[in-house]
């Protein structure tokens, strides 16, 4: 099989397309990491509230 010769314009177009795909993948990866961090913070806040509120309520109702 003979390899096709690629013109300079085609090579440049392929390079630009690859760069756009790489940039899109990087942005997607960064967004996923940011959402993961936000999710962890939300879970921690919910856990603190779930564990803290009953303790505070018992201390008020217990009359301590």
């Amino acid at each position: 099989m003979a390899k096709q010769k690629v013109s300079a314009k085609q090579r440049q177009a392929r390079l630009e397309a690859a760069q756009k795909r790489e940039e899109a993948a990087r942005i997607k990866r960064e967004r996923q990491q940011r959402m993961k961090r936000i999710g962890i913070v939300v879970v921690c806040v919910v856990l603190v509230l779930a564990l803290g509120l009953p303790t505070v309520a018992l201390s008020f109702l217990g009359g301590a």
Side-chain angles (χ1 to χ4, degrees), residues 37 45 58 62:
R37 283 190 207 120
V45 168
L58 285 174

Side-chain angles (χ1 to χ4, degrees), residues 46-58:
V46 167
L47 285 174
V48 166
L49 289 174
L51 296 174
L53 288 178
T55 305
V56 173
L58 285 174

Side-chain angles (χ1 to χ4, degrees), residues 5 7 10 25 31 46 55 57-58 60 63-64:
K5 291 193 176 189
S7 71
Q10 289 174 331
R31 182 161 192 239
V46 167
T55 305
L58 285 174
F60 281 127

Side-chain angles (χ1 to χ4, degrees), residues 10-62:
Q10 289 174 331
R11 193 176 319 121
Q12 183 67 22
R14 286 183 184 177
L15 182 61
E16 288 175 5
Q19 288 173 343
K20 286 180 184 178
R21 284 192 306 269
E22 186 177 317
E23 180 70 16
R26 184 186 61 79
I27 290 171
K28 184 178 179 182
R29 191 169 45 250
E30 287 175 357
R31 182 161 192 239
Q32 286 175 341
Q33 290 174 347
R34 193 176 326 116
M35 293 303 289
K36 184 178 178 182
R37 283 190 207 120
I38 291 171
I40 290 171
V41 169
V42 168
V43 168
C44 289
V45 168
V46 167
L47 285 174
V48 166
L49 289 174
L51 296 174
L53 288 178
T55 305
V56 173
L58 285 174
S59 67
F60 281 127
L61 292 176

